[in-house]
Amino acid sequence: MQLTGSQILIECLKEQGVDTIFGYPGGSVLNIYDELYKHQHEIRHILTAHEQGAAHAADGYARATGKVGVCIATSGPGATNLVTGIATAYMDSVPMVAITGNVPVSLLGKDSFQEVDICGITMPITKHNFIVKDVKDLADTIRRAFYIAKEGRPGPVLIDIPKDVTAAKADYHYQEPKSIPVYTEYIKEKDIEEAIKIINESEKPFVYAGGGIIRADATEELLQFVEKLSAPVSCSLMGQGAFPANHKLYTGMIGMHGTKASNTAATECDLLIAIGARFSDRVVSNIERFAPNAQVIHIDIDPAEINKNIKTHHCIIGDVKEVLKILNERLENKNPNGWNKKIEELMNEYPVTYPQDDTLRPQYIIEKIYEKTQGDAIVTTEVGQHQMWTAQYYKFVKPRTFISSGGLGTMGYGTGAAIGAQLGMPDQQVIHIAGDGSFRMNCNELATITAYNIPLIIVVINNGTLGMVRQWQTMFYGGRYSATTLDRGPDFVKLAEAYGAKGYKITTKEELERALNEALSLRGPVLLDCHVDIDNKVLPMVPPGKAIEDVITEEF
């Protein structure tokens, strides 16, 4: 049957099972929004306060649900406002489809009103992008975009659609979505055999798990693998929830703000098994001194990651869930030994802790949130000190419950991501933990939260500064606090109330207890403005350029 481009787009979104879109309308996407209006009972559109919020919301929706997140914006500034969100999704391998409008085909390349080459702009930060200049190509392009976003290592895909293409007509025929194959083509028998041989000969194995475990839904396989090896295991920031944080073999996070036990285990192991991880500089620090005594086995779906940052001795390329299944079938159980005892002793000797007194401290706030939610919440964060405290003090035991910008480190990410996560998982409590600096960047999304009565709890850890930058200025720049003190408004409680949310100002432990109890019972938009000291620090910390075992564990 003959449909317009806008109608074809909507039908293809329905083919792909899309039930929610985050976006902001404009001239170049008016035809699309007209069709969305007609299909509002099939596809829910969430109007965000800003296009960046739409991109982050689509990202949070994807991370929480495992589905493809979808966002839409008009041409020009609307499209460029998506860029930070697209880059955030790209760095953390999040499946997302961004749809942008553009000027009519006849006006492309003529510096027309609200025209940008969004495909050129986003080429380095998408798995693939398309500009559709002929309506006959639109349906197949949309289907390809969703397939590419999901297959292999996931990531964002952009579709740019000129306005006249959304009005033109073409034949449309329904198609079932193409199934995503399990990526096993490069899993070679000789690679499996060699890995098993290396593992069996190892006396001090250590497992480093990354976000790829979560993307591959391989948490159960990882648990079985680690227990077979009786190996200590650590997770990267993006890997939080890939392995239960309350398990006896879990040593805590690895890297710049990782535990002494994890960083020492990586340094002294004779075998480091990296699974679904990319050896980020925040994990590795000094490359020359990272895992100097170990053979390195790297298991990953993306061959481009092998030997990119760290030279590996052996690799297996393929879907990590399938690789772990094969290894688990063939590996023999190993018993705990002196290596396990040493790591346990390090965990006991160097716990991640903070001063226990009557002061309201950020670490206490995180622990109290964990206690009140019994660990059964989806937690989103912004970027900075509060992000690290959350990873350190909230015990994530399930995948897709820690949602944060890891690779790009996007301040302003979390509020939009929390919206997407809560709408994608309506039966779960979502708590957004923010720093006051990050929250200022996209606090306009309070309008979205209250307009849709989204039952988010936002906890602002308010230290009146750009905390992580100030920490570096304290430790490495002689206390010269250049442009980091935020001695300015707004009053976050009044701001929340102005938008229609409930707000609490919190300065004591007792006030925190009462406010959390009330917030969790309300099931509506709530903001907790928690005032803490300006000089709380994230510890442990590896100084820049040092080896990860040279970790500062306490403040002097």
Side-chain angles (χ1 to χ4, degrees), residues 322-372:
E322 296 305 310
V323 173
L324 288 175
K325 281 181 181 178
I326 296 168
L327 292 175
N328 288 338
E329 287 174 0
R330 302 195 197 178
L331 282 168
E332 297 178 1
N333 291 331
K334 298 182 82 163
N335 294 320
N337 56 20
W339 171 240
N340 296 86
K341 184 177 180 182
K342 175 171 183 176
I343 300 304
E344 286 175 18
E345 289 171 351
L346 281 169
M347 291 172 66
N348 293 328
E349 186 177 356
Y350 298 101
V352 177
T353 188
Y354 61 96
Q356 303 294 314
D357 54 27
D358 292 332
T359 307
L360 183 67
R361 296 181 183 273
Q363 302 94 324
Y364 176 85
I365 295 169
I366 307 298
E367 287 186 329
K368 185 58 67 172
I369 293 170
Y370 176 76
E371 175 193 315
K372 293 294 182 182

Side-chain angles (χ1 to χ4, degrees), residues 246-261:
N246 56 5
H247 194 285
K248 63 181 180 180
L249 289 170
Y250 186 63
T251 60
M253 192 164 61
I254 187 173
M256 178 175 282
H257 295 292
T259 64
K260 178 77 171 177

Side-chain angles (χ1 to χ4, degrees), residues 123-153:
M123 188 176 292
I125 55 166
T126 52
K127 276 188 77 176
H128 200 81
N129 61 27
F130 302 89
I131 181 167
V132 183
K133 297 181 180 180
D134 188 331
V135 69
K136 297 184 184 70
D137 301 327
L138 182 58
D140 286 343
T141 300
I142 295 164
R143 292 162 185 150
R144 280 189 66 198
F146 275 85
Y147 181 85
I148 292 168
K150 290 184 286 187
E151 66 92 25
R153 181 178 180 173

